[in-house]
Amino acid sequence: MVEAARTVTFPALLLAAVVLLCSSGVLGVDVVVDGGGRQAVARRRVDVGVILDRSTWLGKTSWACMELAMEDFYAAREHAHYRTRLRLHLRDTGPGAVDAASAGVDLLKNVHVQAIVGPQRSTQAKFLAELGNKLSVPVISFSANSPCGSPSQTPYFIRTAWNDSSQADAIASFVQRFNWRDVIPIVEDDDSNTRFIPDLVDALRQAEIRVSHRYKIHPLAGPDDIKKVISNLKLKWTSIFVIRMSYELALSFFQHAKDEGMMGEGFVWIAAYGLTDIFDLLGSPAFDVMQGVIGMKPYVNDTKKLQNFRERWRKKYQSENPGTLLSEPTISGLYAYDTVWALALAAEKAGYVNSDFLLSKKNGSTDFDRINTSKAAKKLKSTLINIDFLGMSGRFHIQDMHLLSMTYEIINIVGKEKRVVAYWTPGLNISRSLNTKVSIDTVRWPGGGTTAPRGWLLPINKTLKIGVPAKPGFSEFIKHENGTFKGFSIDVFNEVTNALPYKILYRFEQFGNGKGESNGSYDTLIYKVYLKEFDAVVGDITILANRSLYVDFTLPYTESGVRMLVPVQDRRQKTAWTFLKPLTADLWFGTGAFFVFTGFVVWFIEHRTNEEFRGPPASQIGSLFYFAFSTLVFAHRERIVNNLSRLVLVIWLFVVLILQQSYTASLSSILTVEQLQPTVTNLDEVIRKGGYVGYLNDSFMPGLLERLKIDKSKLIALDSPVEYNEALSTGRVDVVVDEIPYLKVFLSKYCHNYTMVGPTYKFDGFGFAFPRGSPLTAEISRGILNFTSSNRMAQLEKDLYSNRTCPDKSDSQTSSSLTVRSFLGLFIITGASSLLALILHVALTLYHHRHDLSSDSGQSSWCGWFAILIKIFHERERPNAPQNADEPTITNANSAAETPFSTPNHTVQNVDSDSDIESLQEGEGTPGREEFVQGPDPPSFSYMHSERRAMD
């Protein structure tokens, strides 16, 4: 029994009460309009009930339109052959839901209507929809909003008006057109907005527009209640409002808003449809207080047919209602006109069916419970939802129990005029044209300006309370001196806010105990903004993911990231053998080998023709090495007579020059430049060695370091750059891990002893914190982007880091010693040229002595050949001994053998290299002819060496 009682709904109980009222005779006035005129008698009559409140302008307007619709429909030639005629039964009730419900029961029980038209209010429609569902009778409204339920829950409730969801989409598109990010809806607290608010919020969220607040005003709210709502709106940042309420309440609301200065520059008021007709009804009072308001209104094509109808309606309505301000039917009146046409068409299409509201045989507590459902009404309903024609308001087509929504026009109130500035269509969204995408007309906003408001305003007469952390360690960012806040963070914030096109009132308040100490961590300070104890936080606040859950951060204004700070030391030790470091061992050996090889090649080529390269074997070996290594300092004094050896020597001296200069530069660098390298290169090394890690006290570093698997017992908190230096220099900590801006400030003071190393752990740097959803976040972020690229920002950073340039100390230094690879090309050139000269010399020598080789080729063994080669190489050959036919023959037997390009055909005797050879005198019979004079042999290398020592 209890469970069954719970299933009884309030509308059902109300209907039961209504039946009792009907039996007592509580009914509205009955007015009947027959199709084709009052004298015409329809043989096939379709009864339709109409429930209106003609004490209101909506009821009067709608009834006048419905009467004209009846006249026009059955007067049309195309409808003259219709076999059905509508008969409208008007019940003129009050605004109450009980009166409307009682009238509906009476129409169903006593008149047996097949449809009910016209519940004006949502409260009336709710109960009549319940009644229609029970008896399968369509309830049609052209003004009331949907009852609390979906079409599936109220299948017999039909709205011959546009769906509010489409209006919500139009409003969201208009807001998105101007890039406004926050909207506050203000609606009347009644059933008419039950579905509108959720539809509007969903549409705005799909456009990524926030609805941070919403306000409802009671229909009977007095001036004090309205002023309270407006006072709350003045404290909000948002200046975009969507209004939907009754005309009387809206007029009072806008009058108070104007008195409070909220109808001026910077505000945007969007009136939903249902309120835009206020200007037709109230005239000047509405225009005076709603200047600049934007309104949404269903678009109706102004056809010739509509113009004629307006004229006829005006005459009829003003004659029945003298003194009215209404000069044309509203959109709801046009919907009422089209509804009658649609019912007349549906009745004809459905065919005539006798009314079948007969009492059933089942028992019930009232007669209402014993009424059967109407099959005729069911058929009429199914036919009506498929009717499609071009009506007075536009296309009439039912979709999801609503009239199909098409196009909204967006009006702008300027003076006494409703200017159409744009249209909204599902395809084009906001456009000035119905067919193409065109920019909207100029809008005259509240206050008279034409520049679109930015969508938010600073709360009127509000001074922002900005929290500032107490930062005793790194005072370069935040410091408090003599009641004034200074530092890099304060300077950046002041510069950015001063560059804004509007003035922000704010005051700084230190988050400390008055002794320079903080009242809590930075996380606690951030949470104060979330609790609305501070309006913002300015300082060296690191942007972190967990903090962004409570506040919104601006873009960072400093370099981002976390790195290690470590001491550095000089890796180059100055020892007695430092002079060997410029060249690697392989380069030393390679250079020495080329010295010896080049000396050998020169000696080999010069040996036969140059007396300085002859002598005893020991002397020749000494001459070879001395000559080779003396080229290192270009101190060689030996005369070179062979062109091949000269070529070898020139190339070799070029190589020696490059080697010498490279060695000198490298040695100078080693002796004079420090090679500073960090003592630690990564945190893994610190963890492996069990070293201690320092971090800035009251920061987020402990959490980061613990995530990097550093033992908590190895962490040491430090408070200032002085403590950083003391801890690192004494070895109390191996490294300090901190954010890059702090480390750069530290290095500006202790530049030469420390460096930053290791990977950069990504963080977003320092930013300013504002409450979530605050429009100042985006404004300050844009200001930071502009300011960081300015010269002023560069100057502030120079002041912050003391304008000092530290030498670049790489954490991966390599040896500066020169390697063989650096000179490989030179060695190839000199080696190839020396080898080529050697081969060429041997080939020429063998060619010149080919007769000696050929004369002994038949009887010589390999040993003999080798002896001949040794003999040829060892024999002395004079380079300057050309023979002339007119000269006397030199008595020395070796003279013929000394000619460079001659080959002797006799046995050559050895001649002492130290013997003198006399020159031949010029003959008497040959005057004027010069004789070749061979001077004495040049002194040997050992002789020259001894002579130089004697001279020294």
Side-chain angles (χ1 to χ4, degrees):
M1 293 292 292
V2 176
E3 197 65 34
R6 290 178 180 175
T7 61
V8 179
T9 63
F10 177 73
L13 295 176
L14 181 62
L15 289 175
V18 166
V19 172
L20 296 177
L21 290 173
C22 291
S23 62
S24 300
V26 182
L27 297 174
V29 178
D30 187 6
V31 178
V32 179
V33 175
D34 222 349
R38 291 184 180 272
Q39 285 75 24
V41 177
R43 291 181 298 173
R44 298 182 179 180
R45 188 181 64 201
V46 178
D47 295 306
V48 175
V50 179
I51 300 176
L52 295 174
D53 180 9
R54 290 203 297 172
S55 64
T56 64
W57 68 268
L58 179 59
K60 296 175 183 178
T61 302
S62 302
W63 181 245
C65 290
M66 294 173 75
E67 287 183 311
L68 290 175
M70 292 286 290
E71 295 177 6
D72 294 345
F73 186 86
Y74 292 110
R77 292 182 179 180
E78 61 269 25
H79 303 151
H81 63 282
Y82 277 20
R83 296 173 298 172
T84 59
R85 294 291 187 272
L86 289 186
R87 189 178 187 186
L88 302 183
H89 299 266
L90 173 64
R91 294 294 186 268
D92 188 359
T93 65
V98 174
D99 292 338
S102 63
V105 172
D106 174 65
L107 290 170
L108 291 170
K109 183 179 179 182
N110 299 320
V111 183
H112 300 165
V113 296
Q114 297 180 23
I116 297 177
V117 178
Q120 295 177 201
R121 301 177 181 271
S122 297
T123 52
Q124 297 173 339
K126 180 186 297 185
F127 300 115
L128 288 174
E130 184 78 16
L131 182 62
N133 291 342
K134 186 173 182 63
L135 301 179
S136 301
V137 175
V139 177
I140 306 164
S141 176
F142 47 80
S143 60
N145 295 315
S146 298
C148 298
S150 62
S152 60
Q153 295 173 323
T154 55
Y156 282 87
F157 182 78
I158 303 173
R159 289 191 71 236
T160 53
W162 287 10
N163 191 356
D164 286 338
S165 296
S166 61
Q167 180 182 199
D169 293 335
I171 294 173
S173 296
F174 185 80
V175 173
Q176 190 178 36
R177 164 66 178 75
F178 293 96
N179 296 319
W180 296 323
R181 310 314 309 163
D182 204 346
V183 170
I184 296 180
I186 307 169
V187 299
E188 187 172 351
D189 189 11
D190 62 4
D191 289 340
S192 63
N193 293 300
T194 302
R195 293 289 300 276
F196 174 71
I197 289 297
D199 291 341
L200 177 63
V201 172
D202 290 343
L204 292 172
R205 285 179 177 173
Q206 288 180 4
E208 298 182 354
I209 301 168
R210 294 193 326 127
V211 179
S212 55
H213 303 86
R214 67 186 73 175
Y215 290 91
K216 293 183 179 180
I217 302 178
H218 194 272
L220 302 178
D224 292 339
D225 297 326
I226 296 176
K227 288 181 180 179
K228 183 178 179 180
V229 172
I230 292 177
S231 297
N232 289 332
L233 293 176
K234 291 170 63 176
L235 298 177
K236 307 301 180 186
W237 294 78
T238 304
S239 62
I240 313 298
F241 309 105
V242 176
I243 307 295
R244 186 178 184 184
M245 56 185 65
S246 62
Y247 308 115
E248 296 81 4
L249 184 60
L251 184 64
S252 177
F253 179 87
F254 278 108
Q255 183 62 60
H256 284 88
K258 182 178 180 181
D259 296 340
E260 294 295 330
M262 295 186 69
M263 295 301 297
E265 185 177 353
F267 291 95
V268 177
W269 299 90
I270 302 174
Y273 173 66
L275 180 56
T276 49
D277 292 332
I278 188 174
F279 308 103
D280 299 323
L281 300 173
L282 303 181
S284 295
F287 282 113
D288 292 341
V289 298
M290 297 178 67
Q291 286 296 303
V293 170
I294 299 296
M296 299 291 164
K297 188 176 181 180
Y299 169 72
V300 177
N301 189 15
D302 193 13
T303 62
K304 186 67 175 179
K305 178 182 177 181
L306 178 58
Q307 293 174 4
N308 294 334
F309 172 75
R310 286 199 191 103
E311 185 64 27
R312 293 172 51 230
W313 181 91
R314 184 181 301 109
K315 293 178 180 179
K316 176 180 176 60
Y317 186 78
Q318 291 181 350
S319 64
E320 295 177 355
N321 302 279
T324 181
L325 296 176
L326 197 60
S327 60
E328 63 180 40
T330 62
I331 300 295
S332 297
L334 300 182
Y335 289 154
Y337 183 96
D338 290 342
T339 299
V340 171
W341 273 64
L343 279 171
L345 292 173
E348 181 66 23
K349 188 175 181 179
Y352 178 72
V353 180
N354 290 328
S355 180
D356 53 0
F357 282 106
L358 301 176
L359 294 178
S360 65
K361 298 180 179 180
K362 62 182 179 182
N363 296 325
S365 59
T366 64
D367 291 340
F368 175 75
D369 292 331
R370 299 172 58 192
I371 299 177
N372 278 328
T373 58
S374 172
K375 295 181 179 179
K378 284 183 179 181
K379 189 174 183 180
L380 181 64
K381 178 251 182 181
S382 61
T383 305
L384 177 63
I385 61 177
N386 293 315
I387 292 295
D388 192 344
F389 69 97
L390 188 62
M392 196 67 69
S393 63
R395 183 186 177 191
F396 188 98
H397 178 70
I398 301 297
Q399 186 179 64
D400 295 331
M401 297 303 172
H402 291 83
L403 194 62
L404 179 63
S405 304
M406 299 295 292
T407 302
Y408 279 93
E409 59 183 17
I410 301 173
I411 63 174
N412 182 208
I413 306 303
V414 181
K416 302 295 182 180
E417 181 185 2
K418 297 182 293 182
R419 295 177 48 230
V420 178
V421 294
Y423 300 94
W424 177 88
T425 56
L428 297 177
N429 285 336
I430 304 296
S431 175
R432 181 65 185 89
S433 173
L434 290 172
N435 302 317
T436 58
K437 188 73 172 179
V438 182
S439 179
I440 69 174
D441 277 351
T442 301
V443 178
R444 188 72 63 177
W445 305 100
T450 57
T451 302
R454 60 176 177 264
W456 63 273
L457 290 173
L458 291 170
I460 299 177
N461 298 326
K462 180 178 178 62
T463 300
L464 301 182
K465 180 182 176 182
I466 298 180
V468 178
K471 195 71 175 178
F474 286 86
S475 59
E476 291 82 0
F477 292 96
I478 295 292
K479 59 184 175 182
H480 186 238
E481 295 179 354
N482 301 324
T484 304
F485 289 90
K486 301 179 181 179
F488 178 75
S489 299
I490 298 295
D491 291 340
V492 171
F493 184 78
N494 289 334
E495 292 283 351
V496 171
T497 54
N498 291 337
L500 295 176
Y502 45 86
K503 185 174 181 58
I504 299 178
L505 300 178
Y506 58 88
R507 60 181 176 85
F508 295 117
E509 182 174 315
Q510 189 177 46
F511 184 63
N513 56 9
K515 301 179 181 179
E517 299 175 353
S518 177
N519 277 342
S521 66
Y522 276 33
D523 291 339
T524 304
L525 176 58
I526 292 296
Y527 195 65
K528 294 291 185 181
V529 178
Y530 178 76
L531 297 177
K532 299 183 179 180
E533 297 182 19
F534 287 115
D535 296 308
V537 170
V538 170
D540 50 344
I541 309 296
T542 305
I543 302 173
L544 299 176
N546 62 327
R547 294 175 180 174
S548 65
L549 297 175
Y550 303 96
V551 297
D552 285 342
F553 285 100
T554 64
L555 292 176
Y557 61 90
T558 63
E559 187 177 357
S560 62
V562 173
R563 296 192 72 187
M564 290 192 307
L565 179 71
V566 299
V568 294
Q569 62 183 10
D570 189 3
R571 296 293 187 182
R572 288 173 171 162
Q573 302 296 325
K574 311 310 189 285
T575 64
W577 302 101
T578 301
F579 72 92
L580 295 176
K581 291 184 178 180
L583 307 182
T584 57
D586 56 349
L587 183 56
W588 278 115
F589 287 116
T591 303
F594 271 91
F595 269 107
V596 175
F597 176 69
T598 304
F600 169 77
V601 171
V602 173
W603 172 83
F604 189 90
I605 296 173
E606 293 288 325
H607 174 74
R608 298 182 68 250
T609 59
N610 194 335
E611 198 64 32
E612 294 189 14
F613 289 89
R614 299 186 66 83
S619 177
Q620 293 185 49
I621 293 174
S623 297
L624 186 154
F625 281 99
Y626 179 80
F627 173 80
F629 286 98
S630 64
T631 59
L632 179 63
V633 293
F634 307 101
H636 55 283
R637 294 293 183 267
E638 290 78 5
R639 183 169 58 91
I640 305 300
V641 299
N642 195 292
N643 287 332
L644 290 176
S645 57
R646 288 171 180 169
L647 176 64
V648 170
L649 186 59
V650 168
I651 296 175
W652 173 244
L653 289 178
F654 175 72
V655 174
V656 169
L657 177 64
I658 295 177
L659 281 171
Q660 184 188 57
Q661 296 298 325
S662 301
Y663 174 85
T664 303
S666 180
L667 182 61
S668 300
S669 174
I670 292 174
L671 295 177
T672 59
V673 179
E674 293 180 327
Q675 189 179 31
L676 300 177
Q677 288 187 333
T679 56
V680 178
T681 58
N682 55 69
L683 275 177
D684 293 335
E685 184 179 348
V686 178
I687 298 173
R688 186 172 59 254
K689 294 180 179 179
Y692 288 87
V693 178
Y695 67 92
L696 182 61
N697 193 18
D698 192 22
S699 69
F700 65 94
M701 287 301 157
L704 170 64
L705 296 174
E706 290 179 14
R707 289 196 299 271
L708 295 175
K709 299 181 180 180
I710 298 179
D711 190 356
K712 189 175 182 180
S713 62
K714 300 294 184 179
L715 302 180
I716 298 178
L718 305 173
D719 290 319
S720 65
V722 175
E723 291 192 16
Y724 282 14
N725 179 51
E726 182 273 332
L728 289 169
S729 60
T730 59
R732 187 155 64 101
V733 297
D734 295 272
V735 298
V736 170
V737 178
D738 208 344
E739 295 178 81
I740 291 177
Y742 294 137
L743 298 184
K744 292 178 72 173
V745 169
F746 173 83
L747 290 175
S748 68
K749 301 177 180 178
Y750 305 94
C751 185
H752 297 284
N753 299 325
Y754 306 96
T755 187
M756 287 188 292
V757 299
T760 300
Y761 301 98
K762 295 297 182 181
F763 287 91
D764 281 344
F766 297 162
F768 305 128
F770 289 91
R772 298 199 65 181
S774 172
L776 275 179
T777 306
E779 295 288 317
I780 298 297
S781 294
R782 281 189 286 269
I784 289 174
L785 286 177
N786 293 328
F787 181 67
T788 51
S789 60
S790 65
N791 294 331
R792 177 58 179 159
M793 183 63 172
Q795 183 60 45
L796 289 179
E797 290 181 341
K798 287 182 180 180
D799 296 340
L800 175 65
Y801 303 128
S802 302
N803 198 22
R804 296 182 59 182
T805 303
C806 293
D808 184 19
K809 299 179 277 290
S810 174
D811 57 1
S812 59
Q813 295 284 351
T814 58
S815 175
S816 61
S817 299
L818 303 174
T819 63
V820 172
R821 187 178 183 86
S822 304
F823 302 93
L824 186 59
L826 292 174
F827 286 155
I828 291 175
I829 293 173
T830 186
S833 61
S834 298
L835 186 61
L836 182 61
L838 181 63
I839 295 173
L840 185 58
H841 175 72
V842 171
L844 289 174
T845 302
L846 294 177
Y847 176 77
H848 293 160
H849 295 81
R850 62 185 180 276
H851 298 294
D852 294 341
L853 294 173
S854 60
S855 62
D856 297 335
S857 60
Q859 56 185 0
S860 296
S861 62
W862 285 105
C863 294
W865 275 85
F866 184 73
I868 293 172
L869 292 175
I870 293 298
K871 176 183 175 182
I872 293 172
F873 169 75
H874 185 66
E875 71 181 0
R876 177 182 170 189
E877 180 179 354
R878 295 193 179 277
N880 298 321
Q883 293 293 328
N884 194 303
D886 297 332
E887 293 178 356
T889 304
I890 300 176
T891 57
N892 194 331
N894 292 330
S895 61
E898 294 299 320
T899 303
F901 298 100
S902 64
T903 304
N905 54 7
H906 58 274
T907 304
V908 180
Q909 296 180 355
N910 289 333
V911 181
D912 188 5
S913 61
D914 294 330
S915 64
D916 295 335
I917 301 178
E918 297 179 354
S919 62
L920 297 177
Q921 299 296 325
E922 181 182 356
E924 295 179 358
T926 59
R929 178 183 298 179
E930 292 185 1
E931 294 289 342
F932 175 76
V933 179
Q934 176 67 44
D937 290 338
S940 65
F941 177 81
S942 59
Y943 174 80
M944 292 177 64
H945 184 63
S946 62
E947 286 294 322
R948 281 196 296 267
R949 293 184 60 184
M951 293 176 64
D952 294 341

